[in-house]
Amino acid sequence: GSFSSLARGVSADGSAVAGRSFSASGNEAFWWDATSGMQGLGDLPGEGFSSLAFGVSADGSTVVGQSQSANKAFLWDATNGMQELDVLLSALGVDLTGWELSQARGISADGLTIVGTGINPSGRSEAWIAVIPEPGTAILLGLGLIGLAMGGRKSN
């Protein structure tokens, strides 16, 4: 039902693809596989409706991206749907005080390491990396906020 689509990420074996579809109703992150076809992933609450997927885990089960409507990074899987990544990390005990995780740009093969960009507590755009625990564990292995300042510019 879209006018066009743009692939941004592919699973290791090529069986799953994620990206953005463009239609009259808005831009929507999607996930595709040969069995289910293209599925819209929705959007987080915000102004308008616009989401974009950037990466997919090696097995195709987890997608990361950005809700442009909410200006938030998201993580999607078939069980939980689209979730705000900062809410998910905070629930795991990560102190994100002052941080705004605006984009999740990539995900590791095992789906446990996510990288992206955001605004640090000083109001500057920076890259970040989050390492989340194996499913079923309650201990956070770690979160590193890496100060890869992006020219000292504030994000728009």
Side-chain angles (χ1 to χ4, degrees):
S2 68
F3 295 134
S4 66
S5 57
L6 172 68
R8 292 285 190 147
V10 63
S11 63
D13 66 0
S15 66
V17 177
R20 170 188 266 178
S21 63
F22 303 90
S23 70
S25 60
N27 303 315
E28 184 175 8
F30 75 82
W31 177 86
W32 173 94
D33 75 359
T35 303
S36 303
M38 185 182 285
Q39 299 178 32
L41 303 184
D43 196 10
L44 298 172
E47 295 184 31
F49 187 92
S50 185
S51 60
L52 168 64
F54 286 112
V56 61
S57 60
D59 67 1
S61 67
T62 307
V63 176
V64 295
Q66 178 187 24
S67 164
Q68 293 176 312
S69 302
N71 195 31
K72 300 242 181 210
F74 74 76
L75 182 137
W76 176 92
D77 65 42
T79 302
N80 300 299
M82 186 180 288
Q83 302 175 76
E84 289 182 34
L85 186 57
D86 57 353
V87 171
L88 178 62
L89 292 172
S90 292
L92 294 170
V94 177
D95 180 8
L96 295 174
T97 302
W99 275 90
E100 296 175 29
L101 306 183
S102 51
Q103 293 183 348
R105 301 286 299 199
I107 187 167
S108 62
D110 64 6
L112 299 178
T113 303
I114 302 166
V115 296
T117 60
I119 305 299
N120 71 17
S122 300
R124 296 184 189 259
S125 183
E126 288 192 24
W128 51 264
I129 182 170
V131 179
I132 58 177
E134 292 281 349
T137 65
I139 300 171
L140 181 68
L141 298 178
L143 173 76
L145 297 171
I146 299 178
L148 299 175
M150 299 170 75
R153 297 183 337 213
K154 291 188 180 192
S155 190
N156 294 333

